[in-house]
Amino acid sequence: MTLRRAVTTAVLALAAWAWAAPAHGAQRWSRCHGDLECTRVTVPLDRSGGLPGSVSLRVARAEFAGRRADHLMYLSGGPGGAGIVEMIDVMVTVPPLLERFTVLGFDQRGTGASGLLRCPSVERDGRLRSTRAGARCAERLGARRAFYTTPDSVADMEAIRKAVGAPKLTLFGISYGTELALAYARAYPQRVERLILDSVVDPDESDPYGLAGFRAMSPTLASLCRPDCVSASPAADVSALVARLRAAPLRGDVYGAGGKRMRRPVRRVAIADLLYDADYVPALRAGVPAAVRAALAGDAAPLLRLLRISASFATPSRPADFSAARYATVCEETSLPWPRGTPVGSREAVARAGAAALGPAAFFPFDADVAFADEIELCLRWPDPGQSPRAPGGAYPDVPALILQGEEDLRTPAEASARVAARLARATRVTVPGVGHAVVGADPSGCGIRQLQQWLRGRPVRARCRRVATDVPAVTVPPASFRAVEPAADVRGSGGDVRVRRTVAALDATLADLGFAVSPGAFGGGPGGGLRGGTLRFDGAGRLVVAALAVVPGVRVTGAEGRDGTLRLRVEGSSAARGEVAISERGRLAGRLGGRDVRAVLANRPPRPFGLFGAGASGAVASVSVSTPVVARP
């Protein structure tokens, strides 16, 4: 990913960038990324001197209207994110930071242009959990794998501060960047001016199973499943489905772009991946309760559609944008469920014994197998860490700190930021309901960014923003068969024909499903096929077009929305009363079905393209948290 010139030009239109000619100290700066200045700071690979070598860190600088004495250092997520590119996205999102600070960013060691680490085996592992890939990566990196940890990056930050001549730093981190900011604040408290922490990783967290994420699932699902939720307890339904999948497999059909049919299984770990992936697009979770209810009844199609959408988040990134090898080095410092020195062949047994001791309730609504499917599996055959255990962190400095927290965040749950806020003497914590991971990039309301601006100006800050709407209509369980459709009660002209009345009800169910299919919860992952076949898309004018689209088995519709907002459909299928109908914006149906002229008022309306043409909240999809992987340890 490179700096998008069009976006940058929009920022430049607000005010001109002014670059000061002389560089700090002996540093030589040159233009980079179009509108930034870059330099190199060389640091030792191993500061103890045991392993020779050095790392050339690429550092970028952005200044607005002349050099500012106050320096802000942006710290990227991962670990593995290319910091400079990510910094550019964040500065475009929060341009007022450029008015106040000289903004610094750098590619952390092993990422981007700072001695990029490469492990092809891990780079092909979209979920970053393959035990074999992790072992091959450790072998490829050799002894140097021990020197890409948080303490190494903290020392790099201090070297950069000295090189650019900044007396103190304001630190702005997202996800893993918050752990790095907090570690630096403890190591160099006298060098920290203030902290801005978005989606906080608690550096004192030692739970190797990621239980905080599981604890957050029940309230998160409940808060997003409203109003008129199909389930009294969505998390309990997930738990019931997980138990059922342990006993027997469930398979079904899913349709991709172009209507291509694919036969797929439903797996427990994939459901958990779906929930975590929706940290980036919480609207995606709004479809989970109904999809799980359908799966419990034996219909896998709605859930497989969600899994197809979430799979796009597992597409491997370009190594220059996200170093999977650097991420793999979390095995060097992450708490794992076996002590140092445990033989590789015994690690899984030790880890499972520890999970068993916690009891199944600890992993609700999933099980221990799901907890194993991340760092535990990745690190199962990674050698013991090459450095001594990290010493307990010291006290945090008494400096102003702003914490931004999405209330639906499972990767860095709210309980972690609450603990960290309690340890910071001057912390201000802002929570945003309806938002998941990385508030700055994923909050379509902009409330979090506004509170950041207020805080920087010394003005009162709102502790809790208004709930961000998902722009997803109430999601119902779609009928699994034509016979399961309750015939419409009031269809004028039907003559009591049950097939005609049932077809009208099936068309109503089709509109209900289309409402979700074009919402940010589904279409944000890219256009796909219909629930049970066919295709849907929007034309250049933003009008809905469907072809052989099937939601209810045996009923297919083809047609398009007209300029007046009326959806005109040809109705076909083995079960349907065939014919043609027009459905107005208000849900009034008129046409001919089964040889009869019919009229009815439907409960649902032709769907509107939320966010795709300037409306709704799906702009959250194009956020920093999606464009650059901001991975947090579970």
Side-chain angles (χ1 to χ4, degrees), residues 51 122 218 278 322 433 526 569:
L51 191 68
V122 178
S218 290
F322 186 85
L569 300 173

Side-chain angles (χ1 to χ4, degrees), residues 86-108:
E86 193 176 307
M87 178 199 78
I88 292 168
D89 272 358
V90 172
M91 292 308 107
V92 169
T93 305
V94 199
L97 292 175
L98 295 168
E99 300 175 8
R100 183 182 181 100
F101 300 100
T102 291
V103 178
L104 301 171
F106 73 106
D107 292 340
Q108 296 167 26

Side-chain angles (χ1 to χ4, degrees), residues 548-607:
L549 183 106
V551 170
V552 177
V555 180
R556 300 194 312 274
V557 295
T558 298
E561 180 185 6
R563 291 184 179 181
D564 61 353
T566 299
L567 184 61
R568 292 174 172 82
L569 300 173
R570 183 174 72 253
V571 183
E572 300 172 305
S574 59
S575 300
R578 302 188 177 199
E580 294 185 354
V581 299
I583 305 172
S584 74
E585 289 182 299
R586 295 186 176 183
R588 298 182 181 276
L589 177 148
R592 191 168 179 81
L593 292 173
R596 297 176 180 273
D597 293 324
V598 297
R599 292 181 180 273
V601 178
L602 305 181
N604 296 285
R605 309 287 186 266

Side-chain angles (χ1 to χ4, degrees), residues 41-51 53 55 57 109 147 149-160 188 387:
V41 176
T42 300
V43 296
L45 173 65
D46 174 8
R47 287 182 166 85
S48 73
L51 191 68
V55 180
L57 301 172
R109 57 169 59 200
F147 303 104
T149 65
T150 299
D152 295 302
S153 291
V154 165
D156 293 345
M157 292 166 60
E158 177 63 4
I160 293 169
Y188 302 98
Q387 295 193 50

Side-chain angles (χ1 to χ4, degrees), residues 9-41:
T9 300
V11 175
L12 297 182
L14 300 176
W17 292 73
W19 301 97
H24 292 301
Q27 292 301 124
R28 296 173 60 88
W29 298 82
S30 60
R31 192 62 61 94
C32 63
H33 291 276
D35 299 293
L36 303 181
E37 287 187 332
C38 286
T39 190
R40 290 277 177 184
V41 176

Side-chain angles (χ1 to χ4, degrees), residues 145-146 331-334 336 340-341 347 382-389:
R145 65 179 174 268
C331 299
E332 289 288 322
E333 60 177 339
T334 298
L336 293 166
R340 287 178 182 241
R347 288 176 175 179
W382 190 278
D384 274 341
Q387 295 193 50
S388 301

